[in-house]
């Protein structure tokens, strides 16, 4: 039960951060090129990183990187793989997930 509750809390944290970041992206890129806002609203959220990368060439933009991380973590929930290391497939320590719910690797694999 505790693990299920913890995972649901992590999922909620991811969703809240993702929604806030999407709003930031709309505000930020809307100032740079207002027409882009309509385009972003017309596509799936999961397509935003590719769209933004193609239109703004922001390969190293921190917001874009975080958007990709958050989308990946949400996708892992959807396929039942959230909380497992991307490298060794062992459970990721709860303290790492608590520090960053979008983390992809356990302690052993992140070093």
């Amino acid at each position: 039960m505790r693990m299920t509750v913890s995972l649901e809390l992590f999922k909620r944290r991811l969703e809240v951060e993702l929604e806030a970041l999407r709003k930031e992206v709309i505000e930020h890129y809307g100032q740079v090129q207002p027409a882009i806002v309509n385009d972003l609203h017309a596509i799936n959220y999961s397509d935003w990183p590719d769209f933004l990368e193609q239109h703004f060439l922001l390969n190293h933009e921190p917001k874009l990187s975080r958007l990709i991380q958050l989308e990946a973590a949400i996708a892992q929930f959807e396929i039942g793989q959230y909380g497992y290391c991307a490298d060794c497939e062992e459970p990721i320590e709860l303290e790492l997930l608590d520090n960053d719910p979008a983390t992809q690797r356990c302690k052993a694999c992140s070093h």
Side-chain angles (χ1 to χ4, degrees):
M1 177 72 174
R2 181 177 174 266
M3 184 63 155
T4 303
V5 171
S6 294
L7 290 180
E8 286 304 314
L9 290 174
F10 293 141
K11 183 177 182 184
R12 183 69 190 131
R13 283 178 53 196
L14 288 165
E15 291 168 341
V16 167
E17 183 181 352
L18 186 57
E19 185 60 32
L21 186 56
R22 286 175 180 154
K23 287 178 183 176
E24 273 186 57
V25 165
I26 289 286
E27 183 178 310
H28 175 75
Y29 295 112
Q31 292 173 4
V32 174
Q33 187 176 354
I36 210 77
V37 174
N38 292 333
D39 293 335
L40 286 171
H41 285 300
I43 62 174
N44 291 325
Y45 286 133
S46 60
D47 294 330
W48 279 30
D50 289 337
F51 178 85
L52 291 170
E53 188 174 64
Q54 289 172 358
H55 287 81
F56 293 101
L57 303 173
L58 299 175
N59 295 332
H60 303 289
E61 166 67 51
K63 288 180 185 174
L64 182 58
S65 295
R66 187 61 180 170
L67 188 66
I68 292 167
Q69 291 172 340
L70 294 169
E71 292 285 358
I74 296 291
Q76 288 175 322
F77 264 105
E78 292 171 2
I79 62 170
Q81 293 298 310
Y82 180 78
Y84 291 96
C85 179
D87 293 335
C88 70
E89 299 181 1
E90 292 296 319
I92 298 171
E93 295 81 0
L94 286 176
E95 63 267 15
L96 291 179
L97 291 172
D98 191 41
N99 185 47
D100 180 5
T103 211
Q104 298 289 310
R105 287 172 180 76
C106 67
K107 280 183 185 177
C109 293
S110 63
H111 288 90

